[in-house]
Amino acid sequence: MQFRPLDRILGKLSQDIGIDLGTAYSLVYVRGKGVVINEPSVVAINKKTKQVLAIGDEAKKMVGRTPSHIVAIRPLVDGVISDFEVTEAMLKYFIEKVHKSRFLSLAPRPRVVVGIPYGVTEVERRAVEEAALNAGARQVFLIEEPMAAAIGATLPVQDATGSMIVDIGGGTTEVAVISLGGIVTSRSLRVAGDELNDDIISYARDQFNLLLGERTAEDIKIAIGSAYPLAERMTFPMRGRDLISGLPKEIAISDEEIRKALTKSVAAIVDAVKLTVEETPPELLADIMDRGIILAGGGALLRGLDKLLQEATHMPVYIAEDPLSCVARGTGQVLENLDHLQEVLLPTVYR
Ligand SMILES: Nc1ncnc2c1ncn2[C@@H]1O[C@H](COP(=O)(O)OP(=O)(O)OP(=O)(O)O)[C@@H](O)[C@H]1O
Ligand SMILES: [Mg+2]
């Protein structure tokens, strides 16, 4: 598609934005400024009136502290959009937040690049596009998250060379081999950061009759979680409710125990990467051996996961710089180079 001269002028004036719609967090990138919004993907809704009460940080604060008719909804579950109306409300909130900060809001409405989960259906794609248009976008571009992550990690996605990206988010782990602007082989599994938190909750319940909250489980994972034995032993005070007495209880938990709790899910992630490697054409595999497998998403920060994957695949494995913002920065790169990155975008209806 060619850009009309008017589009170019509007493009210069408008504050174009890239959005990573994540299961756990949504990030917004503004051209020329970088990532300006990073908020939980949570929307608080009044169940009786269906009214949206709060979005992002505000909504997350309300979780567990509000009357029962106010519910906190995560519009994305397991990396898939589960509630389109709520997703639209969230997109609108982000777009308006950026647009309103412009001088008198006289600037043209923004062009928006949205990173969407890999493998969503045409109907779902169209729904996201419409949601972004309804939310105030002038033009909408869609890109698959693994592609955006690879671009954000500065992989040469358009070259005739193989690149491999593993994006371990909250809801899904996506493994993709990319060459010549397209995804060659890929795999998506619903085992990622959220599942690791659940593993810790199950472990505490089964081993210690201790009931943990989700936030506590995540804190433990981030503080001492690992996929490979650590050089030094770490412990963490695990606090919850004793299921027998009903009273608060604290247990000092070690990195080794948490590693045990995470074993099964970590193995599922490793298997997905191994299987994708096995399916990759040999020439591309040779390229990937040069450049290494790149890890993105918050799950990339799990201690020793890079080492474990390296052992399992016999390939070098590297963690992308700032793995949590790879997809958002990738959408930003697309905004800066719309002319040259057309081929990596998904087809849209209204453009
Ligand atoms: N230091 C850390 N160690 C381990 N896990 C971490 C760390 N920091 C963040 N995480 C986990 O990363 C996950 C969030 O990652 P990310 O923001 O990439 O997901 P997302 O993009 O919102 O989800 P998805 O891509 O599945 O839609 C959470 O499960 C969080 O607990
Ligand atoms: Mg993500």
Side-chain angles (χ1 to χ4, degrees):
M1 190 194 77
Q2 286 296 309
F3 287 104
R4 294 175 299 268
L6 179 64
D7 278 340
R8 282 183 194 281
I9 297 164
L10 288 176
K12 290 256 184 306
L13 293 173
S14 76
Q15 205 156 29
D16 293 336
I17 64 183
I19 301 179
D20 167 15
L21 275 182
T23 303
Y25 286 91
S26 289
L27 278 68
V28 179
Y29 179 103
V30 172
R31 208 174 60 169
K33 286 192 180 161
V35 176
V36 295
I37 300 177
N38 180 357
E39 294 195 35
S41 306
V42 179
V43 179
I45 302 235
N46 182 330
K47 250 197 321 199
K48 290 181 192 151
T49 61
K50 303 265 180 242
Q51 198 190 356
V52 172
L53 300 171
I55 294 174
D57 287 324
E58 279 302 309
K60 192 162 186 182
K61 267 184 224 151
M62 292 168 86
V63 177
R65 295 199 176 93
T66 49
S68 60
H69 67 278
I70 296 174
V71 287
I73 297 186
R74 282 170 87 176
L76 292 105
V77 176
D78 290 340
V80 216
I81 293 160
S82 67
D83 190 323
F84 276 94
E85 258 173 67
V86 176
T87 302
E88 184 173 320
M90 205 165 71
L91 283 172
K92 197 171 187 135
Y93 169 77
F94 290 139
I95 292 173
E96 281 178 358
K97 202 165 174 177
V98 171
H99 193 57
K100 270 196 192 132
S101 67
R102 287 292 275 176
F103 177 64
L104 292 176
S105 295
L106 284 178
R109 287 177 296 129
R111 292 186 297 188
V112 177
V113 177
V114 189
I116 58 172
Y118 179 69
V120 301
T121 63
E122 200 182 319
V123 175
E124 289 172 325
R125 273 205 316 259
R126 191 170 172 151
V128 176
E129 191 184 356
E130 282 174 3
L133 288 170
N134 289 340
R138 181 171 92 247
Q139 248 188 334
V140 181
F141 304 88
L142 302 177
I143 183 169
E144 284 154 335
E145 280 167 7
M147 179 64 80
I151 295 172
T154 67
L155 289 169
V157 295
Q158 287 178 301
D159 295 358
T161 177
S163 298
M164 186 162 178
I165 184 96
V166 181
D167 179 359
I168 308 157
T172 54
T173 295
E174 301 194 323
V175 190
V177 173
I178 295 170
S179 173
L180 286 169
I183 292 178
V184 182
T185 39
S186 74
R187 193 162 242 106
S188 174
L189 71 159
R190 290 178 181 187
V191 176
D194 291 348
E195 188 80 15
L196 299 180
N197 301 345
D198 289 345
D199 290 341
I200 294 175
I201 293 173
S202 304
Y203 186 82
R205 192 189 51 224
D206 298 347
Q207 300 293 317
F208 306 106
N209 280 314
L210 188 68
L211 181 66
L212 299 183
E214 227 172 281
R215 292 270 277 280
T216 310
E218 182 172 32
D219 289 346
I220 296 170
K221 173 184 74 179
I222 293 175
I224 64 166
S226 62
Y228 201 92
L230 303 176
E232 266 175 56
R233 184 182 145 90
M234 293 172 94
T235 59
F236 192 85
M238 181 164 79
R239 289 187 187 143
R241 182 201 303 282
D242 187 318
L243 282 166
I244 294 161
S245 71
L247 297 173
K249 183 162 89 174
E250 179 178 313
I251 288 168
I253 190 95
S254 71
D255 61 281
E256 196 181 342
E257 286 167 290
I258 295 301
R259 198 159 49 249
K260 204 157 82 194
L262 304 181
T263 307
K264 216 171 120 201
S265 299
V266 167
I269 295 172
V270 172
D271 280 348
V273 177
K274 264 173 86 173
L275 285 169
T276 311
V277 167
E278 283 165 23
E279 283 168 13
T280 302
E283 273 81 9
L284 297 182
L285 208 54
D287 301 333
I288 298 167
M289 283 181 82
D290 274 345
R291 200 166 292 114
I293 298 173
I294 308 299
L295 307 186
L301 295 168
L302 184 71
R303 289 173 191 75
L305 184 60
D306 49 346
K307 203 165 171 189
L308 186 68
L309 282 168
Q310 191 153 327
E311 277 192 8
T313 59
H314 300 183
M315 303 257 251
V317 177
Y318 304 107
I319 301 170
E321 202 184 320
D322 193 5
L324 281 155
S325 70
C326 267
V327 172
R329 285 183 291 116
T331 61
Q333 280 297 312
V334 172
L335 283 172
E336 317 270 358
N337 302 293
L338 267 173
D339 289 359
H340 297 117
L341 287 168
Q342 281 295 310
E343 61 173 7
V344 307
L345 297 173
L346 286 166
T348 41
V349 185
Y350 300 96
R351 220 174 357 112

